[in-house]
Amino acid sequence: MPSTLTYAEARGRVLAAVRPLPPERIPVGEARGRALRQNIVAAHPLPPFRNSSMDGVAVCSADLADATDSTPAFITVVEVLPAGRTTSRALAGGEAIRIMTGAMIPDGADAVVPVEDLETLPGSPERVRIRRPAPPGQNFREAGRDLAAGDPVLGEGRELSAHDLGLLASLGEAHVLVGRPPVVAAFSTGDELLDAGAPLVPGAIRDGNLPMLAALLEECGARVARAARLPDDPVKVTEALGRALSSADVVLTIGGVSAGDFDPVKQSIGELESVELWRVAMKPGRPQAFGTPSGRLFFGLPGNPASVACVFEAFVRPALRKLQGFAQLERPHVAVQVAEAIPSRAGRTDLVRVTLARRDQRWWAAPAGDQVSGHLTPQSRAHALLIVPEERESLAVGDGADAILLRWPETGER
Ligand code: AMP
Ligand code: MG
């Protein structure tokens, strides 16, 4: 008999079974989307040296203290300083150094006058006329203003963004310690299933779940080493799972775990060491299998498309993210208001595929079509999975709820 678990118990058991995979050190340029597996502190200040935020001239502000339209100051440009070049020359009174954005401020200078405020004199390009004072520090970017040496920068478990890579590279972190992509094998099962490109024949449907599952797996950082379809044949299923479990970190099957009479897949799965058949008090996605055969993670997902999608968000995504070492295991959640009454049942957690609309500065959630596990369009239309908690029998219009955000509504969405 399968064990019956609440949604929270099932999640607890899955996550307790996951140990993060050993990290790997990779070039910073390849680390976008990975989980950072170390704490980063600034090895040096940013900016590393005081530099100019404008193209202009570095000056001694005292030389311009009395400059006005009618009594301009005249100073002499003694050197040109592009970004990347430094000078050992210190400015003396009445002197200026032409300086480009990002160039190190020379000694003796305490302000930069932008190029727009300079007038060069005909016939003597080294003389400039300036008609107003420059307060000390004007157009300076001070060393360490962004980060001081030793400041905490990024913490372990962070999902590295493109912007993070810019910060890490600027701090000289050429290689970073990150979670490695879990190697995953996924199998759909069913004699009724066809390739997307195959003509329909009576009694058969096309296999929509496998491409969806493979894409979801990749999207959360896994490397899909194998994605294949298996017949409803226990020998073939046992063989394929045995092979997959010898090389992949995570193995998933779709279908064949429900209470049907004809479930040869359930037999093979049931024979795997440590794998249990579960009935989770959730909708969709009640029948499932889970375990850790040979120290790998195994998920037996139910066959209906909505069940695959919802069980993925509830259990598979958090597990895969924990394997990689992410601190945040789920997609972001969004607080919503219920726009149409949602029936449920006490003692069961429902994930309702909803669309979101913005009104009165709130997100209003309405079911994205009939909540039938076999229907595909509600899943495609949905912006979020609204969670009806176990203790609720229904949600009424205007009730607040928590939803797993799948995507934001798009402009002009159809
Ligand atoms: P099962 O749990 O194998 O009985 O599958 C439940 C329902 O989901 C059945 O109607 C199957 O035809 C359907 N199903 C199973 N696997 C897939 C798949 N890969 N793509 C589309 N539908 C599927
Ligand atoms: Mg089946």
Side-chain angles (χ1 to χ4, degrees):
M1 241 336 246
S3 331
T4 302
L5 301 172
T6 66
Y7 183 77
E9 282 166 352
R11 256 179 83 94
R13 288 217 201 164
V14 168
L15 289 176
V18 181
R19 301 271 166 278
L21 297 168
E24 62 181 357
R25 189 170 290 281
I26 63 169
V28 65
E30 295 167 17
R32 190 182 61 82
R34 297 288 195 100
L36 185 63
R37 296 285 289 273
Q38 62 179 128
N39 289 314
I40 302 282
V41 296
H44 58 69
L46 277 184
F49 52 87
R50 175 195 272 171
N51 66 94
S52 175
S53 68
M54 301 282 263
D55 290 340
V57 288
V59 296
C60 311
S61 60
D63 291 344
L64 310 180
D66 303 323
T68 64
D69 272 339
S70 51
T71 58
F74 292 88
I75 44 183
T76 306
V77 174
V78 294
E79 198 171 329
V80 177
L81 206 53
R85 192 112 55 78
T86 57
T87 180
S88 52
R89 181 181 201 133
L91 271 195
E95 287 183 349
I97 288 183
R98 200 170 274 278
I99 191 165
M100 306 306 147
T101 305
M104 188 162 152
I105 302 289
D107 286 347
D110 66 355
V112 169
V113 176
V115 76
E116 300 86 302
D117 293 349
L118 305 179
E119 293 162 37
T120 40
L121 303 180
S124 53
E126 72 290 353
R127 292 283 286 167
V128 290
R129 182 163 54 200
I130 298 171
R131 296 177 185 272
R132 64 171 101 134
Q138 172 176 278
N139 299 319
F140 276 18
R141 296 194 288 215
E142 294 294 346
R145 186 57 71 78
D146 191 1
L147 271 178
D151 275 355
V153 181
L154 297 175
E156 189 168 354
R158 182 186 178 93
E159 179 168 339
L160 292 173
S161 68
H163 310 103
D164 292 340
L165 304 195
L167 177 57
L168 291 167
S170 302
L171 285 166
E173 304 289 344
H175 290 81
V176 281
L177 199 62
V178 294
R180 78 161 166 85
V183 177
V184 170
F187 301 97
S188 56
T189 67
D191 288 341
E192 76 280 30
L193 300 174
L194 301 170
D195 280 340
L200 271 184
V201 293
I205 56 169
R206 300 202 180 93
D207 181 353
N209 284 340
L210 192 60
M212 172 177 71
L213 179 61
L216 286 166
L217 289 164
E218 274 169 8
E219 200 187 53
C220 67
R223 189 167 75 72
V224 181
R226 190 156 157 68
R229 201 164 55 246
L230 300 172
D232 282 322
D233 171 347
V235 176
K236 297 247 165 66
V237 173
T238 304
E239 206 178 84
L241 293 184
R243 215 170 315 126
L245 286 166
S246 69
S247 56
D249 300 304
V250 183
V251 177
L252 304 99
T253 57
I254 300 164
V257 288
S258 57
D261 292 330
F262 187 73
D263 262 336
V265 176
K266 197 158 68 180
Q267 290 171 25
S268 332
I269 288 170
E271 281 160 22
L272 287 174
E273 165 224 328
S274 93
V275 169
E276 269 190 88
L277 289 161
W278 284 356
R279 279 204 203 122
V280 181
M282 68 184 284
K283 189 179 173 220
R286 192 161 85 117
Q288 297 178 34
F290 176 75
T292 52
S294 325
R296 318 293 192 176
L297 289 181
F298 175 82
F299 291 91
L301 309 180
N304 279 305
S307 309
V308 175
C310 291
V311 173
F312 190 90
E313 296 307 329
F315 307 117
V316 183
R317 181 184 299 275
L320 283 171
R321 289 186 59 96
K322 188 171 176 193
L323 271 182
Q324 292 166 82
F326 287 107
Q328 183 173 316
L329 300 184
E330 283 191 34
R331 290 191 193 258
H333 282 219
V334 59
V336 299
Q337 310 298 124
V338 173
E340 278 174 40
I342 296 175
S344 178
R345 213 173 63 199
R348 185 181 78 195
T349 303
D350 284 18
L351 297 178
V352 183
R353 293 165 284 168
V354 293
T355 55
L356 300 179
R358 192 80 179 154
R359 228 170 43 237
D360 307 329
Q361 294 172 31
R362 291 174 164 187
W363 287 108
W364 290 84
D370 290 342
Q371 301 294 307
V372 175
S373 307
H375 285 190
L376 290 147
T377 54
Q379 190 64 42
S380 160
R381 247 186 259 131
H383 300 122
L385 300 177
L386 183 148
I387 304 169
V388 185
E390 195 181 76
E391 68 278 7
R392 296 297 299 264
E393 269 180 25
S394 62
L395 294 179
V397 172
D399 281 354
D402 187 28
I404 302 169
L405 181 68
L406 301 172
R407 63 195 185 91
W408 290 115
E410 282 182 26
T411 314
E413 186 170 318
R414 282 188 296 157

